[in-house]
Amino acid sequence: SRDDVFVFVPGTEVGCHMIRLPAQPSEQLRKSAAYALEDEIAVAVEEVHVAVGQPLEPEGARPAYVVDPSIMEAWIDRL
């Protein structure tokens, strides 16, 4: 059986940005979100982990969360 795991992480380690993207499959959504954030973050989009939330507005604005992959790996190692 599959169990859901919820992990709380320090908000100071995660950037949150609001983006607008058209509906698309989740794998493509992550890639599109990374490039939508390109001008918002100080590092190359290929160097960050991006997670995309559900739309919060009817027009499609949704949160996109950005974190350094090495920090994400450290959190996973602690589980």
Side-chain angles (χ1 to χ4, degrees):
S1 88
R2 181 183 146 191
D3 294 323
D4 290 331
V5 176
F6 295 89
V7 178
F8 293 88
V9 299
T12 56
E13 301 292 341
V14 181
C16 179
H17 304 270
M18 294 302 291
I19 58 173
R20 291 193 190 313
L21 295 172
Q24 51 193 299
S26 59
E27 184 175 314
Q28 185 62 36
L29 190 61
R30 269 186 66 206
K31 291 178 184 176
S32 296
Y35 290 100
L37 293 167
E38 205 165 25
D39 294 335
E40 303 287 326
I41 58 177
V43 296
V45 294
E46 298 84 11
E47 296 177 15
V48 295
H49 175 79
V50 177
V52 182
Q54 295 297 316
L56 300 177
E57 302 172 359
E59 303 86 40
R62 59 179 71 222
Y65 305 97
V66 181
V67 67
D68 182 301
S70 63
I71 293 173
M72 176 79 104
E73 289 175 25
W75 293 335
I76 292 169
D77 289 345
R78 294 180 75 182
L79 296 178

